[in-house]
């Protein structure tokens, strides 16, 4: 019989060197399998006499056990190693911090847009957009402001150089042209808000040449002034986060609505501090009305079949009111100290469910 110590060392070192489960398996087969070397030696035991057989049998068994244990141990190690490397390859470092919370801030204008969209979104409005550079038709004529209309003077329009068509494009003076563009392309019923930038050649304590508005438009067959009032009162409650906001609608004039109104909400100003809600004073916050039949017709909608309401409000103004920002011009100073003070954490998205403000 061959030298069992050598055989054992040879097999054990082969096991130790096996670098895959497959390699290990072929070692097992060649040593302990049906025709394996150890198995063959076992078969040879029968030819020995009883004493020799007992001694050789014990030694062979010891070899067999040692090799078999080594294979088992090595197999566990190889499986662990395979799992380790798979895990390492698929590793995602979830300990990496998200964008630092302490640095960037959302501008109050962006925050206010997000809040308005959250509220009207919940009421079934979708967001519409239009270009900042408009033509005369969308900014004025379709909105029932013909060329010689005095309302054109009130708009302090920025005109751009004449285009190839002989017309001078304008920087839109309000978001109302988005009403026109929506009605031209969407078949009613429709319900949209249009937040965006607007421009007027005006600059003082309470005016900046660029500012922001949000427009609202509802067109269907039945919406009336009562729906307009309910919708806007609900908006003010949600936006100012005050359950009881008294509201009043004062008759007013806009060329694109008939009747037209301005909405005031209740407030108090005791001790120099403005508080929205029941009080002894009123604050104007937006313009609104029933869409003028001429506007519907100019946009290709039959005024005998459809009707609806519209509103428009200034974003800076309602942001100043809610967040106690005293000076309009600071919105556009790009002053980091101001932004750190009045800005918002970008990841705290306003929703009605969780709350609009942190
Ligand atoms: N476009 C008006 C403005 O800029 C605001 C406005 C008033 C919009 C009444 C409307 C509305 O849609 O119905 O002053």
């Amino acid at each position: 019989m061959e030298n069992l110590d050598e055989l054992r060392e040879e097999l054990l070192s082969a096991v130790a060197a096996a670098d895959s489960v497959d390699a290990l398996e072929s070692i097992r087969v060649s040593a302990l399998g049906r025709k394996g070397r150890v198995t063959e030696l076992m078969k040879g035991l029968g030819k020995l006499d009883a004493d020799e057989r007992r001694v050789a049998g014990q030694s062979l068994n010891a070899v067999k056990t040692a090799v078999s244990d080594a294979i088992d141990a090595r197999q566990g190690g190889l499986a662990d190693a395979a799992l380790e490397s798979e895990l390492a390859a698929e590793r995602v470092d979830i300990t990496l911090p998200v964008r630092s919370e302490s640095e960037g801030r959302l501008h109050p204008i962006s925050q206010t847009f997000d809040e308005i969209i959250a509220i009207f979104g919940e009421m079934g409005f979708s967001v519409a957009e239009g270009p900042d550079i408009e033509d005369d038709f969308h900014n004025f004529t379709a909105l029932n402001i013909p060329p010689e209309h005095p309302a054109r003077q009130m708009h302090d329009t920025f005109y751009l150089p004449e285009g190839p068509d002989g017309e001078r494009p304008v920087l839109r003076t309000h978001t109302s042209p988005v009403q026109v563009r929506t009605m031209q392309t969407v078949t009613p019923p429709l319900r949209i808000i249009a937040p965006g930038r607007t421009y007027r050649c005006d600059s003082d304590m309470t005016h900046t040449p660029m500012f922001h508005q949000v427009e609202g438009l509802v067109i269907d067959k039945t919406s009336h002034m009562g729906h307009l009032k309910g919708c806007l009162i609900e908006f003010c409650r949600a936006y100012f986060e005050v359950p009881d906001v008294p509201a009043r609608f004062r008759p007013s004039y806009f060329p694109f609505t008939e009747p037209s109104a301005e909405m005031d909400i209740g407030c108090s100003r005791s001790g120099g501090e403005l508080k929205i809600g029941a009080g002894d004073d009123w604050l104007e916050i937006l313009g609104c009305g029933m869409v003028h039949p001429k506007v519907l017709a100019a946009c290709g909608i039959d005024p005998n079949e459809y009707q609806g309401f519209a509103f428009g409000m200034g974003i800076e103004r309602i942001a100043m009111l809610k967040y106690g920002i005293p000076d309009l011009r600071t919105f556009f100073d790009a002053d980091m100290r101001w932004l750190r003070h009045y800005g918002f954490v970008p990841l705290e998205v306003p929703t009605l469910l969780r709350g609009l403000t942190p």
Side-chain angles (χ1 to χ4, degrees):
M1 186 169 293
E2 68 177 281
N3 184 331
L4 290 187
D5 285 341
E6 272 175 24
L7 176 63
R8 171 196 162 104
E9 286 319 306
E10 185 194 328
L11 291 175
L12 289 183
S13 62
V15 169
D19 58 359
S20 70
V21 176
D22 287 347
L24 199 59
E25 179 60 12
S26 61
I27 294 169
R28 196 187 63 75
V29 172
S30 73
L32 310 177
R34 243 170 352 104
K35 293 195 170 136
R37 287 164 68 188
V38 177
T39 317
E40 291 295 338
L41 289 173
M42 293 278 202
K43 288 179 194 162
L45 286 177
K47 293 178 198 134
L48 302 177
D49 62 35
D51 278 350
E52 277 179 328
R53 191 186 319 143
R54 197 168 44 78
V55 176
Q58 276 176 359
S59 309
L60 256 180
N61 259 333
V63 173
K64 187 179 166 186
T65 310
V67 173
S68 167
D69 288 353
I71 288 176
D72 287 350
R74 183 75 187 138
Q75 194 151 29
L78 284 173
D80 287 351
L83 183 62
E84 282 301 324
S85 74
E86 200 176 320
L87 289 176
E90 290 173 3
R91 181 180 153 85
V92 178
D93 188 355
I94 56 165
T95 65
L96 271 181
V98 289
R99 197 166 20 157
S100 140
E101 286 284 6
S102 57
E103 282 300 316
R105 283 290 179 269
L106 268 193
H107 196 282
I109 293 291
S110 306
Q111 170 77 15
T112 305
F113 273 156
D114 290 348
E115 293 181 24
I116 291 172
I117 291 168
I119 298 168
F120 283 110
E122 201 75 13
M123 295 189 203
F125 285 73
S126 49
V127 173
E129 284 180 311
D132 288 19
I133 297 176
E134 266 299 2
D135 54 35
D136 188 277
F137 176 77
H138 291 91
N139 197 79
F140 293 121
T141 310
L143 290 163
N144 195 28
I145 314 175
E148 300 310 323
H149 198 286
R152 290 209 178 194
Q153 268 74 62
M154 286 158 49
H155 277 224
D156 304 306
T157 312
F158 281 115
Y159 285 94
L160 274 66
E162 207 170 277
D165 56 359
E167 272 219 36
R168 301 184 69 182
V170 301
L171 293 183
R172 66 178 179 191
T173 57
H174 48 180
T175 42
S176 303
V178 186
Q179 282 190 36
V180 177
R181 289 184 180 275
T182 305
M183 286 189 275
Q184 283 177 323
T185 51
V186 182
T187 313
L190 60 88
R191 211 183 281 184
I192 56 115
I193 55 168
R197 293 195 169 121
T198 47
Y199 307 83
R200 288 183 200 179
C201 186
D202 200 354
S203 184
D204 58 34
M205 278 281 283
T206 54
H207 298 88
T208 49
M210 191 279 290
F211 56 105
H212 300 80
Q213 288 188 338
V214 63
E215 193 78 12
L217 176 70
V218 172
I219 302 289
D220 55 28
K221 293 186 178 176
T222 52
S223 284
H224 53 64
M225 203 73 188
H227 296 124
L228 159 74
K229 290 167 78 172
C231 171
L232 293 175
I233 290 171
E234 200 47 48
F235 165 75
C236 289
R237 284 193 188 132
Y239 174 74
F240 290 107
E241 297 173 281
V242 177
D244 179 24
V245 186
R248 81 180 175 191
F249 290 80
R250 265 181 303 105
S252 183
Y253 173 76
F254 300 103
F256 30 89
T257 43
E258 181 58 37
S260 304
E262 271 162 314
M263 181 184 184
D264 297 340
I265 54 173
C267 66
S268 62
R269 299 177 203 261
S270 58
E273 199 206 343
L274 176 73
K275 248 184 93 202
I276 306 291
D280 51 11
D281 214 343
W282 295 98
L283 199 71
E284 181 193 320
I285 63 154
L286 58 83
C288 57
M290 298 304 295
V291 178
H292 198 295
K294 282 191 178 174
V295 174
L296 292 170
C299 300
I301 291 179
D302 182 357
N304 295 313
E305 196 179 347
Y306 290 105
Q307 60 188 36
F309 61 83
F311 55 88
M313 75 189 135
I315 300 298
E316 283 79 358
R317 181 169 168 77
I318 68 161
M320 288 165 81
L321 290 174
K322 181 165 178 178
Y323 294 112
I325 304 172
D327 187 336
L328 171 69
R329 288 170 295 191
T330 57
F331 277 79
F332 307 108
D333 281 346
D335 183 331
M336 283 307 292
R337 290 163 304 179
W338 184 87
L339 199 55
R340 239 173 259 130
H341 182 76
Y342 287 111
F344 294 83
V345 176
L347 296 178
E348 286 172 1
V349 179
T351 63
L352 286 187
L353 200 61
R354 198 193 52 78
L356 291 180
T357 39

